Short mmCIF file of all heavy atoms in Angstrom, two decimals:
data_model
loop_
_atom_site.label_atom_id
_atom_site.label_comp_id
_atom_site.label_asym_id
_atom_site.label_seq_id
_atom_site.Cartn_x
_atom_site.Cartn_y
_atom_site.Cartn_z
N ILE A 643 -29.95 150.97 63.87
CA ILE A 643 -30.39 150.65 62.50
C ILE A 643 -29.70 151.59 61.53
O ILE A 643 -29.76 152.72 61.59
CB ILE A 643 -31.94 150.76 62.44
CG1 ILE A 643 -32.59 149.79 63.35
CG2 ILE A 643 -32.37 150.59 61.04
CD1 ILE A 643 -34.17 149.89 63.46
N SER A 644 -29.16 150.95 60.50
CA SER A 644 -28.36 151.67 59.56
C SER A 644 -29.29 152.18 58.43
O SER A 644 -29.10 153.35 57.91
CB SER A 644 -27.23 150.83 58.92
OG SER A 644 -27.80 149.66 58.29
N SER A 645 -30.33 151.44 58.06
CA SER A 645 -31.16 151.90 56.95
C SER A 645 -32.14 152.89 57.44
O SER A 645 -32.82 152.73 58.54
CB SER A 645 -31.91 150.66 56.43
OG SER A 645 -32.87 151.09 55.45
N GLU A 646 -32.34 154.01 56.77
CA GLU A 646 -33.26 155.03 57.09
C GLU A 646 -34.69 154.64 57.15
O GLU A 646 -35.53 155.08 58.01
CB GLU A 646 -33.08 156.29 56.24
CG GLU A 646 -31.85 156.94 56.49
CD GLU A 646 -31.60 158.29 55.63
OE1 GLU A 646 -32.73 158.61 55.08
OE2 GLU A 646 -30.62 158.94 55.66
N LYS A 647 -35.11 153.73 56.17
CA LYS A 647 -36.59 153.42 56.16
C LYS A 647 -36.97 152.56 57.32
O LYS A 647 -38.18 152.35 57.46
CB LYS A 647 -36.80 152.70 54.83
CG LYS A 647 -36.12 151.29 54.70
CD LYS A 647 -36.55 150.64 53.33
CE LYS A 647 -36.01 149.22 53.32
NZ LYS A 647 -36.57 148.64 52.02
N TYR A 648 -36.08 152.02 58.06
CA TYR A 648 -36.40 151.23 59.26
C TYR A 648 -36.16 151.88 60.56
O TYR A 648 -36.26 151.32 61.68
CB TYR A 648 -35.73 149.85 59.28
CG TYR A 648 -36.15 148.96 58.16
CD1 TYR A 648 -35.17 148.51 57.23
CD2 TYR A 648 -37.44 148.46 58.00
CE1 TYR A 648 -35.54 147.64 56.15
CE2 TYR A 648 -37.74 147.62 57.03
CZ TYR A 648 -36.86 147.22 56.06
OH TYR A 648 -37.24 146.33 55.15
N LEU A 649 -35.97 153.26 60.54
CA LEU A 649 -35.61 154.02 61.76
C LEU A 649 -36.87 153.93 62.70
O LEU A 649 -36.73 154.14 63.93
CB LEU A 649 -35.28 155.42 61.43
CG LEU A 649 -33.93 155.63 60.90
CD1 LEU A 649 -33.64 157.07 60.53
CD2 LEU A 649 -32.84 155.04 61.79
N TRP A 650 -38.04 153.77 62.11
CA TRP A 650 -39.26 153.76 63.01
C TRP A 650 -39.34 152.43 63.86
O TRP A 650 -40.20 152.38 64.80
CB TRP A 650 -40.58 153.94 62.14
CG TRP A 650 -40.62 152.86 61.08
CD1 TRP A 650 -40.06 152.82 59.91
CD2 TRP A 650 -41.42 151.59 61.24
NE1 TRP A 650 -40.37 151.75 59.18
CE2 TRP A 650 -41.21 150.97 60.00
CE3 TRP A 650 -42.23 151.06 62.14
CZ2 TRP A 650 -41.84 149.71 59.74
CZ3 TRP A 650 -42.80 149.88 61.83
CH2 TRP A 650 -42.63 149.18 60.68
N LEU A 651 -38.41 151.53 63.59
CA LEU A 651 -38.37 150.30 64.45
C LEU A 651 -37.30 150.30 65.41
O LEU A 651 -36.94 149.22 66.01
CB LEU A 651 -38.15 149.07 63.44
CG LEU A 651 -39.42 148.72 62.64
CD1 LEU A 651 -38.98 147.58 61.63
CD2 LEU A 651 -40.54 148.13 63.58
N ARG A 652 -36.67 151.51 65.77
CA ARG A 652 -35.58 151.54 66.70
C ARG A 652 -35.96 151.15 68.06
O ARG A 652 -35.35 150.28 68.76
CB ARG A 652 -34.97 152.94 66.74
CG ARG A 652 -34.13 153.31 65.51
CD ARG A 652 -33.38 154.67 65.83
NE ARG A 652 -32.48 154.64 66.88
CZ ARG A 652 -32.72 155.10 68.03
NH1 ARG A 652 -33.72 155.92 68.29
NH2 ARG A 652 -31.73 155.06 68.98
N LYS A 653 -37.17 151.58 68.53
CA LYS A 653 -37.53 151.42 69.95
C LYS A 653 -38.51 150.24 70.14
O LYS A 653 -38.69 149.72 71.27
CB LYS A 653 -38.24 152.67 70.46
CG LYS A 653 -37.26 153.92 70.53
CD LYS A 653 -38.05 155.12 71.02
CE LYS A 653 -37.10 156.40 71.07
NZ LYS A 653 -37.81 157.54 71.68
N SER A 654 -39.18 149.89 69.07
CA SER A 654 -40.13 148.74 69.19
C SER A 654 -40.03 147.80 67.94
O SER A 654 -39.61 148.31 67.01
CB SER A 654 -41.58 149.32 69.31
OG SER A 654 -41.77 150.17 70.34
N GLN A 655 -40.40 146.61 68.21
CA GLN A 655 -40.62 145.64 67.18
C GLN A 655 -42.04 145.24 66.85
O GLN A 655 -42.84 145.11 67.70
CB GLN A 655 -39.80 144.37 67.58
CG GLN A 655 -39.51 143.34 66.42
CD GLN A 655 -38.53 142.27 66.84
OE1 GLN A 655 -38.15 142.13 67.99
NE2 GLN A 655 -38.27 141.41 65.95
N LEU A 656 -42.39 145.19 65.60
CA LEU A 656 -43.70 144.95 65.09
C LEU A 656 -43.90 143.47 64.84
O LEU A 656 -43.17 142.90 64.05
CB LEU A 656 -44.01 145.84 63.92
CG LEU A 656 -45.37 145.87 63.38
CD1 LEU A 656 -46.43 146.32 64.44
CD2 LEU A 656 -45.57 146.65 62.05
N PHE A 657 -45.03 142.95 65.35
CA PHE A 657 -45.37 141.50 65.18
C PHE A 657 -46.76 141.46 64.56
O PHE A 657 -47.57 142.33 64.93
CB PHE A 657 -45.36 140.78 66.50
CG PHE A 657 -43.93 140.52 67.02
CD1 PHE A 657 -43.30 141.41 67.80
CD2 PHE A 657 -43.25 139.31 66.70
CE1 PHE A 657 -42.10 141.28 68.41
CE2 PHE A 657 -41.99 139.14 67.16
CZ PHE A 657 -41.43 139.99 68.01
N PHE A 658 -46.91 140.46 63.69
CA PHE A 658 -48.18 140.23 62.94
C PHE A 658 -48.60 138.78 63.27
O PHE A 658 -47.92 137.85 63.47
CB PHE A 658 -48.07 140.46 61.53
CG PHE A 658 -47.45 141.68 61.07
CD1 PHE A 658 -46.09 141.72 60.78
CD2 PHE A 658 -48.24 142.85 60.93
CE1 PHE A 658 -45.54 142.84 60.33
CE2 PHE A 658 -47.59 143.99 60.56
CZ PHE A 658 -46.21 143.99 60.30
N LEU A 659 -49.97 138.57 63.25
CA LEU A 659 -50.61 137.27 63.34
C LEU A 659 -51.48 137.10 62.17
O LEU A 659 -52.47 137.92 61.92
CB LEU A 659 -51.32 137.06 64.63
CG LEU A 659 -51.74 135.57 64.92
CD1 LEU A 659 -50.52 134.80 65.34
CD2 LEU A 659 -52.78 135.54 66.06
N THR A 660 -51.39 136.02 61.37
CA THR A 660 -52.18 135.85 60.10
C THR A 660 -53.31 134.99 60.48
O THR A 660 -53.51 134.45 61.55
CB THR A 660 -51.26 135.20 59.10
OG1 THR A 660 -50.93 133.91 59.43
CG2 THR A 660 -49.95 135.96 58.76
N ASP A 661 -54.21 134.88 59.43
CA ASP A 661 -55.39 133.97 59.64
C ASP A 661 -55.08 132.55 59.75
O ASP A 661 -55.82 131.73 60.12
CB ASP A 661 -56.36 134.28 58.43
CG ASP A 661 -55.72 134.00 57.05
OD1 ASP A 661 -54.48 133.86 57.01
OD2 ASP A 661 -56.43 134.15 56.04
N THR A 662 -53.85 132.17 59.31
CA THR A 662 -53.42 130.79 59.45
C THR A 662 -52.62 130.62 60.77
O THR A 662 -51.98 129.60 61.01
CB THR A 662 -52.47 130.39 58.28
OG1 THR A 662 -51.31 131.30 58.19
CG2 THR A 662 -53.23 130.43 56.96
N GLN A 663 -52.68 131.72 61.59
CA GLN A 663 -52.13 131.72 62.94
C GLN A 663 -50.53 131.52 62.92
O GLN A 663 -49.97 130.81 63.67
CB GLN A 663 -52.64 130.62 63.92
CG GLN A 663 -54.14 130.97 64.28
CD GLN A 663 -54.64 130.26 65.44
OE1 GLN A 663 -53.84 129.91 66.35
NE2 GLN A 663 -55.89 130.22 65.68
N GLU A 664 -49.98 132.20 61.95
CA GLU A 664 -48.52 132.23 61.87
C GLU A 664 -48.04 133.61 62.46
O GLU A 664 -48.67 134.66 62.04
CB GLU A 664 -48.03 132.15 60.48
CG GLU A 664 -48.08 130.60 59.91
CD GLU A 664 -47.33 130.63 58.61
OE1 GLU A 664 -47.39 131.58 57.89
OE2 GLU A 664 -46.82 129.53 58.28
N LEU A 665 -47.22 133.55 63.40
CA LEU A 665 -46.65 134.85 64.00
C LEU A 665 -45.42 135.31 63.24
O LEU A 665 -44.59 134.49 63.11
CB LEU A 665 -46.36 134.53 65.43
CG LEU A 665 -45.95 135.77 66.33
CD1 LEU A 665 -47.01 136.79 66.34
CD2 LEU A 665 -45.49 135.35 67.66
N MET A 666 -45.49 136.50 62.82
CA MET A 666 -44.38 137.04 61.95
C MET A 666 -43.92 138.38 62.54
O MET A 666 -44.62 139.01 63.34
CB MET A 666 -44.79 137.24 60.53
CG MET A 666 -45.35 135.95 59.79
SD MET A 666 -45.80 136.32 58.14
CE MET A 666 -46.33 134.68 57.63
N THR A 667 -42.72 138.73 62.16
CA THR A 667 -42.15 140.04 62.52
C THR A 667 -41.47 140.58 61.33
O THR A 667 -41.11 139.94 60.39
CB THR A 667 -41.26 139.98 63.74
OG1 THR A 667 -40.90 141.22 64.14
CG2 THR A 667 -40.02 139.20 63.35
N LEU A 668 -41.22 141.99 61.39
CA LEU A 668 -40.68 142.63 60.28
C LEU A 668 -39.18 142.75 60.54
O LEU A 668 -38.73 143.30 61.61
CB LEU A 668 -41.28 144.03 60.15
CG LEU A 668 -40.91 144.73 58.82
CD1 LEU A 668 -41.67 144.04 57.68
CD2 LEU A 668 -41.40 146.23 58.88
N SER A 669 -38.31 142.32 59.65
CA SER A 669 -36.84 142.29 59.95
C SER A 669 -36.28 143.49 59.31
O SER A 669 -36.64 144.05 58.24
CB SER A 669 -36.29 141.10 59.19
OG SER A 669 -34.83 141.13 59.20
N THR A 670 -35.33 144.15 60.06
CA THR A 670 -34.72 145.50 59.61
C THR A 670 -33.52 145.14 58.72
O THR A 670 -32.93 146.03 58.16
CB THR A 670 -34.24 146.19 60.81
OG1 THR A 670 -33.27 145.38 61.60
CG2 THR A 670 -35.39 146.65 61.67
N LYS A 671 -33.18 143.81 58.50
CA LYS A 671 -32.04 143.47 57.68
C LYS A 671 -32.56 143.18 56.25
O LYS A 671 -33.63 142.68 56.11
CB LYS A 671 -31.28 142.35 58.26
CG LYS A 671 -30.58 142.63 59.61
CD LYS A 671 -29.87 141.43 60.14
CE LYS A 671 -29.24 141.75 61.53
NZ LYS A 671 -28.52 140.56 62.00
N SER A 672 -31.62 143.36 55.29
CA SER A 672 -32.01 142.99 53.93
C SER A 672 -31.94 141.54 53.79
O SER A 672 -31.46 140.79 54.58
CB SER A 672 -31.04 143.71 52.97
OG SER A 672 -29.72 143.19 53.17
N LEU A 673 -32.44 141.02 52.60
CA LEU A 673 -32.41 139.60 52.37
C LEU A 673 -31.00 139.00 52.32
O LEU A 673 -30.77 138.01 52.82
CB LEU A 673 -33.19 139.34 51.08
CG LEU A 673 -33.23 137.89 50.62
CD1 LEU A 673 -34.11 137.06 51.66
CD2 LEU A 673 -33.80 137.70 49.26
N GLU A 674 -30.05 139.86 51.71
CA GLU A 674 -28.66 139.38 51.62
C GLU A 674 -28.12 139.23 53.01
O GLU A 674 -27.30 138.30 53.32
CB GLU A 674 -27.89 140.30 50.73
CG GLU A 674 -28.15 140.34 49.27
CD GLU A 674 -29.58 141.14 49.02
OE1 GLU A 674 -30.00 141.80 49.92
OE2 GLU A 674 -30.08 140.93 47.89
N GLU A 675 -28.37 140.15 53.93
CA GLU A 675 -27.82 140.09 55.21
C GLU A 675 -28.43 139.00 56.03
O GLU A 675 -27.75 138.29 56.81
CB GLU A 675 -28.08 141.49 56.01
CG GLU A 675 -27.34 142.62 55.43
CD GLU A 675 -27.72 143.86 56.11
OE1 GLU A 675 -28.94 144.12 56.40
OE2 GLU A 675 -26.84 144.73 56.39
N ARG A 676 -29.70 138.73 55.80
CA ARG A 676 -30.35 137.63 56.55
C ARG A 676 -29.86 136.27 56.08
O ARG A 676 -29.83 135.29 56.89
CB ARG A 676 -31.83 137.64 56.45
CG ARG A 676 -32.43 138.93 57.08
CD ARG A 676 -33.87 138.72 57.39
NE ARG A 676 -34.65 138.15 56.22
CZ ARG A 676 -35.22 138.86 55.29
NH1 ARG A 676 -35.12 140.14 55.35
NH2 ARG A 676 -35.85 138.30 54.26
N LEU A 677 -29.48 136.17 54.81
CA LEU A 677 -29.07 134.91 54.28
C LEU A 677 -27.57 134.79 54.19
O LEU A 677 -27.02 133.75 53.68
CB LEU A 677 -29.62 134.74 52.85
CG LEU A 677 -31.20 134.71 52.70
CD1 LEU A 677 -31.49 134.48 51.27
CD2 LEU A 677 -31.78 133.61 53.63
N THR A 678 -26.89 135.68 54.80
CA THR A 678 -25.33 135.62 54.89
C THR A 678 -25.03 134.36 55.70
O THR A 678 -25.55 134.24 56.85
CB THR A 678 -24.77 136.94 55.52
OG1 THR A 678 -25.12 137.97 54.74
CG2 THR A 678 -23.22 136.80 55.62
N PRO A 679 -24.05 133.55 55.28
CA PRO A 679 -23.74 132.39 56.05
C PRO A 679 -23.35 132.75 57.52
O PRO A 679 -22.75 133.76 57.74
CB PRO A 679 -22.49 131.74 55.32
CG PRO A 679 -22.72 132.31 53.93
CD PRO A 679 -23.34 133.67 54.12
N SER A 680 -23.65 131.84 58.39
CA SER A 680 -23.43 132.07 59.78
C SER A 680 -21.97 132.17 60.15
O SER A 680 -21.54 132.73 61.12
CB SER A 680 -24.06 130.98 60.69
OG SER A 680 -25.51 130.92 60.40
N SER A 681 -21.11 131.59 59.21
CA SER A 681 -19.65 131.70 59.50
C SER A 681 -19.17 133.13 59.46
O SER A 681 -18.18 133.43 60.07
CB SER A 681 -18.99 130.86 58.50
OG SER A 681 -19.24 131.35 57.14
N LYS A 682 -19.93 133.99 58.68
CA LYS A 682 -19.51 135.39 58.63
C LYS A 682 -20.17 136.19 59.68
O LYS A 682 -19.75 137.30 59.92
CB LYS A 682 -19.78 135.93 57.16
CG LYS A 682 -18.91 135.12 56.19
CD LYS A 682 -19.15 135.80 54.79
CE LYS A 682 -18.29 135.07 53.75
NZ LYS A 682 -18.58 135.62 52.41
N GLN A 683 -21.36 135.79 60.16
CA GLN A 683 -21.97 136.58 61.16
C GLN A 683 -21.68 136.17 62.55
O GLN A 683 -21.69 137.03 63.47
CB GLN A 683 -23.54 136.40 60.92
CG GLN A 683 -24.03 136.97 59.62
CD GLN A 683 -25.55 136.69 59.53
OE1 GLN A 683 -26.16 136.19 60.38
NE2 GLN A 683 -26.04 137.23 58.41
N LEU A 684 -21.43 134.82 62.78
CA LEU A 684 -21.34 134.41 64.23
C LEU A 684 -19.88 133.79 64.40
O LEU A 684 -19.67 133.05 65.30
CB LEU A 684 -22.35 133.30 64.44
CG LEU A 684 -23.80 133.68 64.29
CD1 LEU A 684 -24.73 132.55 64.45
CD2 LEU A 684 -24.26 134.88 65.21
N ALA A 685 -18.96 134.21 63.55
CA ALA A 685 -17.64 133.58 63.77
C ALA A 685 -16.98 134.02 65.13
O ALA A 685 -16.26 133.29 65.74
CB ALA A 685 -16.69 134.03 62.57
N VAL A 686 -17.32 135.29 65.45
CA VAL A 686 -16.61 135.83 66.68
C VAL A 686 -17.76 136.45 67.56
O VAL A 686 -18.49 137.07 67.19
CB VAL A 686 -15.55 136.94 66.30
CG1 VAL A 686 -14.99 137.55 67.67
CG2 VAL A 686 -14.60 136.41 65.42
N GLU A 687 -17.69 135.86 68.75
CA GLU A 687 -18.65 136.45 69.84
C GLU A 687 -17.87 137.37 70.76
O GLU A 687 -16.86 136.79 71.38
CB GLU A 687 -19.37 135.31 70.62
CG GLU A 687 -20.40 134.56 69.78
CD GLU A 687 -21.58 135.37 69.45
OE1 GLU A 687 -21.75 136.34 70.10
OE2 GLU A 687 -22.24 134.91 68.45
N GLU A 688 -18.17 138.64 70.84
CA GLU A 688 -17.40 139.47 71.70
C GLU A 688 -17.66 139.15 73.18
O GLU A 688 -16.79 139.50 74.04
CB GLU A 688 -17.87 140.97 71.42
CG GLU A 688 -17.45 141.35 69.94
CD GLU A 688 -15.92 141.27 69.66
OE1 GLU A 688 -15.12 141.37 70.64
OE2 GLU A 688 -15.57 141.10 68.52
N SER A 689 -18.71 138.57 73.55
CA SER A 689 -18.97 138.26 74.90
C SER A 689 -18.54 136.91 75.28
O SER A 689 -19.24 136.04 75.65
CB SER A 689 -20.66 138.39 75.22
OG SER A 689 -21.22 137.46 74.30
#
Side-chain angles (χ1 to χ4, degrees):
I643 297 177
S644 57
S645 177
E646 291 186 3
K647 69 175 184 177
Y648 291 120
L649 287 177
W650 56 278
L651 285 173
R652 283 189 66 249
K653 298 181 179 180
S654 301
Q655 192 172 2
L656 184 59
F657 289 87
F658 309 96
L659 191 72
T660 66
D661 54 356
T662 57
Q663 294 203 19
E664 286 188 328
L665 183 64
M666 301 181 179
T667 186
L668 198 67
S669 175
T670 58
K671 296 180 180 179
S672 64
L673 180 64
E674 291 76 13
E675 291 174 322
R676 296 201 309 272
L677 298 183
T678 299
S680 302
S681 59
K682 296 183 179 179
Q683 293 182 358
L684 304 176
V686 178
E687 291 291 342
E688 296 299 333
S689 58

